[in-house]
Amino acid sequence: MTDLTDAPAPTLKDPSRVPWEGIVMLVLIGVLLVIVGFAIRLNPLIVVTVAGIVTALLGGMNPAQILESFGTGFASSRSVTIFVAVLPVVGIIEFFGLQEQAKTLIGRLAKLTAGRVLIGYLAVRQITAAVGLTSIGGHAQTVRPLVFPMAEGAALRRYGHVPEKISEKIKGHAAGADNVGVFFGEDVFVAVGSILLITTFVDTTYHLHLEPLQLALWAIPTAIAAFLIHGFRLLRLDKQLDKEYREFELTAQKETAGEAK
Amino acid sequence: MINVEAVYWLVGILFVAWASLIAADTNHPRRWGGSAFWGLLGLCFFYSTWVQAGTAPAWILGVAVLVLVVLASTGLLGNGKHRTSTGPEREAYAKRFGNKLFIPALTLPLVTVILVLVAPLLNIGGTPLLDPKNTTLVALAIGAVAAVVVALVILKPKNPATPIFESRRILESIGWAALLPQMLTTLGILFTKAGVGTAVGNLASGLLPKGSLIAGVLVYCIGMFLFTVLMGNGFAAFPIMTAAIGWPVLVQTFHGDPAIVFAIGMLAGFCGTLCTPMAANFNLVPSALLEMKNKYGVITAQVGTAIPLLAVNIALMYFLAFH
């Protein structure tokens, strides 16, 4: 995910030294700013930038150091923006009707529902991530061009048309299936960032010797639980969508009835 | 060797290309603001190469980043109504090309995965062909380029620049959210430097009643969860919660199996990642990519899995790690 593997080991201040606490706690104002900013729905970019500057000032950094941090932070985190490199291919195949084709293809398979399409994707995503193939999927490369249109195509076949409210719900769950699959699949693979972070941090700080394989092994129960919980919710999603569609039809009927008067 | 910096330059070139398309679009509602934002973002990708190498001052980049934030948050970006194929046109194309449309879509992951797998074997006179530290990123970029080539060959668009035109449409619908993941990483760095982690660690160990195993497990797992929600990823939370509770309380006092305690502790943090807008690349960028009305819609879909899974993690740790 991110490369914070070389984050310095924290040195905890002795909590009994009360005079320290006030100063240490002051930096939490930045965290508070983030929570309030997101809660009142300010533009997240502004929230994050202001919180960063305030926290840095409270932490005793001067303006030059803060600017420097914004620069090095940007430069070292460019990897998270690499997804834009896949937009050109997604753009051209969408122009030529990929989403429509994905819908048609799913529409032919009568037994598929939005929830079942997403369970299938969840399973594929989790299993491939567990053998180290996390790069096989992703929001830009698979969810937008393939997974969401397929799930929506299944809903289209079932309901005849897909109201926006249902479409929104399918979108959220299409992205959710990708996240749950990759998060709780990749940790079963030994050479993944989070496992290596645990071993390097623990081995250097506490002089233990943990094998990545042991950690990966103990990630399996949670991986299974994640599949069961999320899979169950996706099965229920179909029922929720059915219910929402019935409500949608009822209100639509009422509206047309109202117009007739 | 294909270095990861080459990939960043490819991304930078794309941003500059999109910026020039917007600048040339006289119908764009925010033509200059939009092209300035994406163009400057592209230049930042180039300049960062020297910042990373330590040969250029980082504060200049810092100023540029703040300018980007101002441009984006004052509504100067706008979203051009770029003309694309209409619904009926797309239906017709889909009929004509049929399942061939999937070939470029599958080329991308296939090439990426194959390159990742064979990368250790690819070398010229002992020098690896793909940057060994960033194999996945380099492979993804090569996969993306290969997929565009395949798409051009199969679909034969009238204008070979169609991929760039059409991706500009997607980019503009993502808008400022494209910059957010990098800004959040920066915030994480500033939080760490200012000692937010230490403060949270003190707070968590202050809350802990002495001598209770179940309380220790609860504070460690819920602490990982909440701290991950605040920071956006479990990697920042792990060292802090482990130094405060995981190691001194769960392993040293209660003799928990360290492999189980730490593996499950990290996974409790991942439950937090599912619930937070701070993990923008997983939760906010996708809602922008899918053009959702509610930008928190992905989180809404995930919370119902994250909370029960956190409870499962707490139970697993309590019952498996202590004998």
Side-chain angles (χ1 to χ4, degrees):
Chain A
M1 283 184 259
T2 31
D3 41 6
L4 288 169
T5 19
D6 49 2
T11 43
L12 283 184
K13 305 279 184 307
D14 183 358
S16 59
R17 287 177 60 191
V18 185
W20 249 104
E21 270 188 352
I23 302 163
V24 172
M25 290 305 162
L26 204 62
V27 295
L28 289 179
I29 290 175
V31 177
L32 197 70
L33 279 178
V34 170
I35 298 172
V36 172
F38 273 103
I40 63 174
R41 303 211 165 188
L42 290 176
N43 182 315
L45 274 181
I46 284 284
V47 173
V48 167
T49 309
V50 171
I53 294 172
V54 169
T55 307
L57 287 173
L58 292 173
M61 288 168 78
N62 64 43
Q65 289 170 316
I66 297 176
L67 280 179
E68 194 128 318
S69 299
F70 274 103
T72 50
F74 180 92
S76 62
S77 65
R78 282 170 295 163
S79 58
V80 289
T81 310
I82 276 199
F83 72 92
V84 302
V86 311
L87 297 183
V89 67
V90 174
I92 183 174
I93 49 185
E94 281 188 6
F95 179 87
F96 284 105
L98 178 82
Q99 293 193 344
E100 285 69 15
Q101 181 62 19
K103 281 178 198 168
T104 318
L105 194 72
I106 287 301
R108 291 198 197 124
L109 302 167
K111 288 201 169 156
L112 279 182
T113 58
R116 287 181 194 162
V117 169
L118 294 180
I119 289 179
Y121 182 66
L122 173 69
V124 170
R125 189 79 171 115
Q126 205 173 6
I127 292 166
T128 49
V131 293
L133 302 177
T134 46
S135 45
I136 212 162
H139 299 286
Q141 54 269 60
T142 45
V143 176
R144 169 164 169 151
L146 293 170
V147 178
F148 163 66
M150 285 183 172
E152 200 188 18
L156 187 67
R157 201 196 56 78
R158 195 177 175 94
Y159 307 124
H161 92 291
V162 184
E164 194 190 15
K165 208 178 154 199
I166 290 188
S167 176
E168 280 270 309
K169 207 153 199 175
I170 298 176
K171 282 176 179 175
H173 275 281
D178 189 277
N179 284 337
V180 172
V182 75
F183 288 5
F184 298 98
E186 66 168 12
D187 242 31
V188 176
F189 184 65
V190 286
V192 73
S194 50
I195 298 243
L196 299 178
L197 171 82
I198 298 176
T199 51
T200 43
F201 172 72
V202 169
D203 290 2
T204 52
T205 319
Y206 307 121
H207 310 290
L208 288 172
H209 184 72
L210 286 185
E211 282 299 325
L213 193 64
Q214 284 177 292
L215 292 163
L217 192 71
W218 289 108
I220 292 175
T222 305
I224 295 170
F227 183 80
L228 292 177
I229 293 172
H230 202 67
F232 172 73
R233 291 190 58 229
L234 288 174
L235 284 180
R236 274 193 32 202
L237 175 69
D238 285 329
K239 290 197 188 97
Q240 286 170 6
L241 294 183
D242 284 349
K243 199 177 145 216
E244 272 185 24
Y245 189 74
R246 276 197 303 275
E247 281 167 11
F248 170 82
E249 278 201 315
L250 277 177
T251 46
Q253 275 170 9
K254 268 184 203 152
E255 269 167 28
T256 42
E259 274 164 27
K261 281 174 203 166
Chain B
M1 185 175 82
I2 304 176
N3 194 282
V4 71
E5 289 298 332
V7 176
Y8 297 141
W9 278 66
L10 173 73
V11 171
I13 292 168
L14 280 172
F15 279 130
V16 171
W18 288 318
S20 16
L21 283 182
I22 294 171
D25 180 357
T26 44
N27 294 324
H28 196 286
R30 292 266 190 272
R31 188 176 161 198
W32 299 116
S35 52
F37 177 83
W38 299 112
L40 183 58
L41 183 56
L43 295 181
C44 287
F45 265 71
F46 302 145
Y47 185 80
S48 295
T49 303
W50 292 290
V51 172
Q52 276 298 80
T55 53
W59 67 267
I60 297 180
L61 185 58
V63 172
V65 169
L66 294 183
V67 171
L68 286 174
V69 170
V70 170
L71 280 173
S73 51
T74 45
L76 288 174
L77 224 54
N79 184 355
K81 291 283 168 279
H82 174 69
R83 198 204 156 269
T84 181
S85 47
T86 60
E89 275 171 0
R90 288 186 177 200
E91 299 281 351
Y93 281 131
K95 278 217 175 65
R96 188 164 124 214
F97 292 109
N99 290 338
K100 273 191 202 160
L101 282 164
F102 292 114
I103 299 174
L106 297 174
T107 303
L108 170 62
L110 217 64
V111 169
T112 310
V113 164
I114 291 174
L115 281 177
V116 170
L117 294 178
V118 302
L121 307 172
L122 297 175
N123 64 76
I124 302 168
T127 318
L129 188 61
L130 308 183
D131 190 339
K133 281 188 204 139
N134 296 290
T135 318
T136 316
L137 296 180
V138 178
L140 182 67
I142 297 175
V145 174
V148 167
V149 173
V150 170
L152 288 175
V153 170
I154 294 179
L155 305 169
K156 298 184 189 67
K158 283 193 199 101
N159 186 342
T162 304
I164 306 293
F165 289 131
E166 289 301 309
S167 48
R168 179 200 135 191
R169 171 176 55 84
I170 306 178
L171 183 80
E172 286 208 88
S173 69
I174 301 175
W176 52 261
L179 179 63
L180 192 55
Q182 279 184 267
M183 293 308 294
L184 284 161
T185 312
T186 306
L187 180 67
I189 295 170
L190 289 171
F191 273 3
T192 311
K193 277 188 187 162
V196 170
T198 317
V200 173
N202 283 346
L203 207 64
S205 48
L207 284 174
L208 185 69
K210 295 264 175 297
S212 161
L213 171 61
I214 183 72
V217 172
L218 279 170
V219 174
Y220 185 52
C221 289
I222 295 175
M224 275 298 294
F225 177 89
L226 289 178
F227 201 9
T228 305
V229 167
L230 292 180
M231 302 292 280
N233 74 67
F235 292 14
F238 181 80
I240 290 155
M241 289 309 298
T242 300
I245 293 164
W247 174 255
V249 179
L250 297 181
V251 175
Q252 286 193 309
T253 312
F254 288 104
H255 310 290
D257 179 333
I260 305 177
V261 169
F262 298 146
I264 297 178
M266 183 62 111
L267 291 164
F270 282 15
C271 295
T273 316
L274 291 175
C275 301
T276 176
M278 301 294 282
N281 47 335
F282 297 112
N283 297 335
L284 294 188
V285 170
S287 52
L289 255 176
L290 292 166
E291 295 166 46
M292 295 178 73
K293 284 265 154 8
N294 175 7
K295 61 180 191 277
Y296 298 115
V298 177
I299 296 175
T300 317
Q302 291 171 162
V303 170
T305 298
I307 305 297
L309 197 55
L310 174 65
V312 169
N313 278 319
I314 292 170
L316 283 171
M317 188 185 290
Y318 184 74
F319 290 112
L320 294 176
F322 305 92
H323 303 290

